[in-house]
Short mmCIF file of all heavy atoms in Angstrom, two decimals:
data_model
loop_
_atom_site.label_atom_id
_atom_site.label_comp_id
_atom_site.label_asym_id
_atom_site.label_seq_id
_atom_site.Cartn_x
_atom_site.Cartn_y
_atom_site.Cartn_z
N MET A 1 -126.04 -74.94 -90.29
CA MET A 1 -125.50 -73.53 -90.21
C MET A 1 -125.50 -73.00 -91.64
O MET A 1 -124.99 -73.71 -92.60
CB MET A 1 -124.15 -73.49 -89.60
CG MET A 1 -123.61 -72.11 -89.34
SD MET A 1 -124.50 -71.21 -88.15
CE MET A 1 -124.12 -72.04 -86.66
N THR A 2 -125.85 -71.84 -91.84
CA THR A 2 -125.80 -71.10 -93.13
C THR A 2 -124.34 -71.00 -93.53
O THR A 2 -123.44 -70.75 -92.82
CB THR A 2 -126.39 -69.72 -93.10
OG1 THR A 2 -127.72 -69.74 -92.55
CG2 THR A 2 -126.39 -69.02 -94.40
N ARG A 3 -124.06 -71.17 -94.81
CA ARG A 3 -122.73 -71.05 -95.35
C ARG A 3 -122.24 -69.54 -95.21
O ARG A 3 -123.13 -68.73 -95.32
CB ARG A 3 -122.63 -71.55 -96.84
CG ARG A 3 -123.05 -72.95 -97.02
CD ARG A 3 -122.87 -73.51 -98.46
NE ARG A 3 -123.32 -72.57 -99.45
CZ ARG A 3 -124.57 -72.49 -99.90
NH1 ARG A 3 -125.52 -73.25 -99.37
NH2 ARG A 3 -124.96 -71.71 -100.87
N GLN A 4 -120.93 -69.37 -95.22
CA GLN A 4 -120.40 -68.16 -95.14
C GLN A 4 -120.09 -67.64 -96.59
O GLN A 4 -119.60 -68.35 -97.39
CB GLN A 4 -118.99 -68.15 -94.39
CG GLN A 4 -118.15 -66.87 -94.58
CD GLN A 4 -118.78 -65.71 -93.72
OE1 GLN A 4 -119.04 -65.89 -92.58
NE2 GLN A 4 -118.97 -64.61 -94.39
N LEU A 5 -120.64 -66.43 -96.95
CA LEU A 5 -120.35 -65.80 -98.23
C LEU A 5 -118.79 -65.62 -98.48
O LEU A 5 -118.03 -65.29 -97.52
CB LEU A 5 -120.99 -64.38 -98.33
CG LEU A 5 -122.57 -64.35 -98.59
CD1 LEU A 5 -122.88 -62.97 -98.51
CD2 LEU A 5 -122.89 -65.00 -99.85
N PRO A 6 -118.32 -66.02 -99.63
CA PRO A 6 -116.88 -65.82 -99.92
C PRO A 6 -116.60 -64.37 -99.99
O PRO A 6 -117.44 -63.38 -100.16
CB PRO A 6 -116.78 -66.44 -101.28
CG PRO A 6 -118.07 -66.42 -101.93
CD PRO A 6 -119.06 -66.57 -100.80
N GLN A 9 -117.92 -61.76 -102.75
CA GLN A 9 -119.30 -61.47 -102.58
C GLN A 9 -119.52 -60.56 -101.35
O GLN A 9 -120.42 -59.69 -101.39
CB GLN A 9 -120.14 -62.77 -102.46
CG GLN A 9 -120.28 -63.49 -103.88
CD GLN A 9 -121.08 -64.77 -103.69
OE1 GLN A 9 -120.91 -65.51 -102.85
NE2 GLN A 9 -122.06 -64.81 -104.74
N MET A 10 -118.74 -60.80 -100.32
CA MET A 10 -118.82 -59.91 -99.09
C MET A 10 -118.43 -58.44 -99.56
O MET A 10 -119.16 -57.46 -99.19
CB MET A 10 -117.94 -60.29 -98.03
CG MET A 10 -118.21 -61.62 -97.40
SD MET A 10 -119.69 -61.53 -96.26
CE MET A 10 -118.87 -60.84 -94.80
N VAL A 13 -121.58 -57.03 -101.42
CA VAL A 13 -122.56 -56.76 -100.38
C VAL A 13 -122.45 -55.28 -99.82
O VAL A 13 -123.31 -54.44 -99.90
CB VAL A 13 -122.75 -57.80 -99.30
CG1 VAL A 13 -123.54 -57.33 -98.12
CG2 VAL A 13 -123.26 -59.07 -99.79
N PHE A 146 -128.28 -60.93 -85.84
CA PHE A 146 -128.12 -62.37 -85.67
C PHE A 146 -128.96 -63.08 -86.67
O PHE A 146 -128.60 -64.06 -87.26
CB PHE A 146 -128.61 -62.71 -84.25
CG PHE A 146 -128.44 -64.15 -83.97
CD1 PHE A 146 -127.19 -64.65 -83.55
CD2 PHE A 146 -129.54 -65.04 -84.05
CE1 PHE A 146 -127.11 -66.11 -83.35
CE2 PHE A 146 -129.41 -66.40 -83.74
CZ PHE A 146 -128.10 -66.84 -83.39
N ARG A 147 -130.19 -62.60 -86.98
CA ARG A 147 -131.10 -63.15 -87.88
C ARG A 147 -130.51 -63.11 -89.35
O ARG A 147 -130.40 -64.10 -90.02
CB ARG A 147 -132.50 -62.45 -87.86
CG ARG A 147 -133.48 -63.06 -88.88
CD ARG A 147 -134.71 -62.39 -88.78
NE ARG A 147 -134.71 -60.97 -89.25
CZ ARG A 147 -134.84 -59.89 -88.43
NH1 ARG A 147 -134.93 -60.09 -87.11
NH2 ARG A 147 -134.86 -58.73 -88.90
N ILE A 148 -130.26 -61.88 -89.73
CA ILE A 148 -129.84 -61.80 -91.17
C ILE A 148 -128.38 -62.34 -91.41
O ILE A 148 -128.06 -62.78 -92.52
CB ILE A 148 -129.92 -60.32 -91.82
CG1 ILE A 148 -128.94 -59.44 -91.13
CG2 ILE A 148 -131.37 -59.87 -91.53
CD1 ILE A 148 -128.87 -58.03 -91.82
N GLY A 149 -127.52 -62.29 -90.39
CA GLY A 149 -126.20 -62.86 -90.58
C GLY A 149 -126.29 -64.35 -90.89
O GLY A 149 -125.51 -64.87 -91.77
N ASN A 150 -127.24 -65.12 -90.16
CA ASN A 150 -127.43 -66.49 -90.51
C ASN A 150 -128.30 -66.71 -91.70
O ASN A 150 -127.89 -67.63 -92.53
CB ASN A 150 -128.04 -67.14 -89.26
CG ASN A 150 -127.05 -67.47 -88.23
OD1 ASN A 150 -126.17 -68.28 -88.28
ND2 ASN A 150 -127.11 -66.61 -87.07
N ARG A 151 -129.24 -65.92 -91.96
CA ARG A 151 -130.02 -66.05 -93.12
C ARG A 151 -129.34 -65.83 -94.39
O ARG A 151 -129.48 -66.58 -95.41
CB ARG A 151 -131.34 -65.11 -93.04
CG ARG A 151 -132.22 -65.18 -94.10
CD ARG A 151 -133.29 -64.13 -93.89
NE ARG A 151 -134.44 -64.59 -93.02
CZ ARG A 151 -135.41 -63.76 -92.52
NH1 ARG A 151 -135.36 -62.52 -92.91
NH2 ARG A 151 -136.33 -64.29 -91.78
N THR A 152 -128.56 -64.73 -94.48
CA THR A 152 -127.85 -64.44 -95.71
C THR A 152 -126.61 -65.02 -96.02
O THR A 152 -126.11 -65.07 -97.20
CB THR A 152 -127.67 -62.91 -95.74
OG1 THR A 152 -126.73 -62.46 -94.77
CG2 THR A 152 -128.98 -62.09 -95.58
N GLY A 153 -125.91 -65.47 -94.94
CA GLY A 153 -124.52 -65.96 -95.06
C GLY A 153 -123.46 -64.90 -94.96
O GLY A 153 -122.26 -65.17 -95.05
N ILE A 154 -123.87 -63.68 -94.47
CA ILE A 154 -122.87 -62.57 -94.30
C ILE A 154 -122.07 -62.86 -93.05
O ILE A 154 -120.84 -62.69 -93.08
CB ILE A 154 -123.65 -61.27 -94.13
CG1 ILE A 154 -124.27 -60.84 -95.50
CG2 ILE A 154 -122.71 -60.21 -93.75
CD1 ILE A 154 -125.22 -59.64 -95.45
N CYS A 155 -122.66 -63.23 -91.99
CA CYS A 155 -122.03 -63.43 -90.69
C CYS A 155 -122.68 -64.60 -89.95
O CYS A 155 -123.34 -64.23 -88.86
CB CYS A 155 -121.76 -62.19 -89.91
SG CYS A 155 -123.32 -61.10 -89.77
N PRO A 156 -122.66 -65.75 -90.34
CA PRO A 156 -123.36 -66.85 -89.66
C PRO A 156 -122.71 -67.16 -88.26
O PRO A 156 -121.49 -66.93 -88.12
CB PRO A 156 -123.30 -68.02 -90.59
CG PRO A 156 -121.98 -67.77 -91.39
CD PRO A 156 -121.98 -66.24 -91.48
N GLY A 157 -123.51 -67.60 -87.30
CA GLY A 157 -122.95 -68.12 -86.03
C GLY A 157 -124.08 -68.65 -85.12
O GLY A 157 -125.25 -68.26 -85.26
N ALA A 166 -117.70 -63.37 -86.60
CA ALA A 166 -117.80 -63.60 -87.99
C ALA A 166 -117.73 -62.24 -88.74
O ALA A 166 -117.16 -62.18 -89.88
CB ALA A 166 -119.15 -64.34 -88.33
N ASN A 170 -114.64 -61.70 -91.26
CA ASN A 170 -115.08 -61.94 -92.69
C ASN A 170 -115.42 -60.63 -93.45
O ASN A 170 -115.35 -60.62 -94.63
CB ASN A 170 -116.14 -62.96 -92.79
CG ASN A 170 -115.66 -64.33 -92.28
OD1 ASN A 170 -114.77 -64.93 -92.80
ND2 ASN A 170 -116.29 -64.80 -91.32
N ILE A 203 -129.40 -56.95 -102.12
CA ILE A 203 -128.40 -58.08 -102.27
C ILE A 203 -129.11 -59.35 -102.50
O ILE A 203 -128.60 -60.48 -102.18
CB ILE A 203 -127.55 -58.20 -100.98
CG1 ILE A 203 -128.44 -58.44 -99.65
CG2 ILE A 203 -126.69 -56.97 -100.82
CD1 ILE A 203 -127.66 -58.82 -98.36
N ILE A 206 -127.23 -62.19 -104.22
CA ILE A 206 -126.02 -62.60 -103.46
C ILE A 206 -126.49 -63.44 -102.25
O ILE A 206 -125.86 -64.50 -101.96
CB ILE A 206 -125.14 -61.52 -102.98
CG1 ILE A 206 -124.64 -60.70 -104.14
CG2 ILE A 206 -123.95 -62.07 -102.22
CD1 ILE A 206 -123.91 -59.42 -103.88
N CYS A 207 -127.50 -63.06 -101.64
CA CYS A 207 -127.95 -63.73 -100.31
C CYS A 207 -128.17 -65.30 -100.56
O CYS A 207 -128.66 -65.69 -101.54
CB CYS A 207 -129.31 -63.11 -99.97
SG CYS A 207 -130.17 -63.89 -98.67
N LEU A 208 -127.79 -66.04 -99.50
CA LEU A 208 -127.89 -67.46 -99.53
C LEU A 208 -129.27 -67.99 -99.12
O LEU A 208 -129.45 -69.20 -99.15
CB LEU A 208 -126.79 -68.04 -98.75
CG LEU A 208 -125.29 -67.84 -99.16
CD1 LEU A 208 -124.31 -68.43 -98.23
CD2 LEU A 208 -125.12 -68.20 -100.57
N TYR A 209 -130.17 -67.06 -98.63
CA TYR A 209 -131.40 -67.52 -98.19
C TYR A 209 -132.24 -68.14 -99.25
O TYR A 209 -132.43 -67.59 -100.35
CB TYR A 209 -132.16 -66.30 -97.60
CG TYR A 209 -133.52 -66.61 -96.95
CD1 TYR A 209 -133.67 -67.47 -95.95
CD2 TYR A 209 -134.65 -65.83 -97.33
CE1 TYR A 209 -134.92 -67.72 -95.35
CE2 TYR A 209 -135.85 -66.04 -96.69
CZ TYR A 209 -135.97 -67.08 -95.74
OH TYR A 209 -137.24 -67.29 -95.19
#
Side-chain angles (χ1 to χ4, degrees):
M1 184 69 70
T2 304
R3 302 188 311 279
Q4 170 72 53
L5 284 174
Q9 290 183 310
M10 292 285 280
V13 164
F146 184 79
R147 176 180 69 254
I148 71 170
N150 283 286
R151 179 184 278 171
T152 64
I154 293 172
C155 46
N170 297 298
I203 61 168
I206 300 175
C207 169
L208 298 179
Y209 184 53

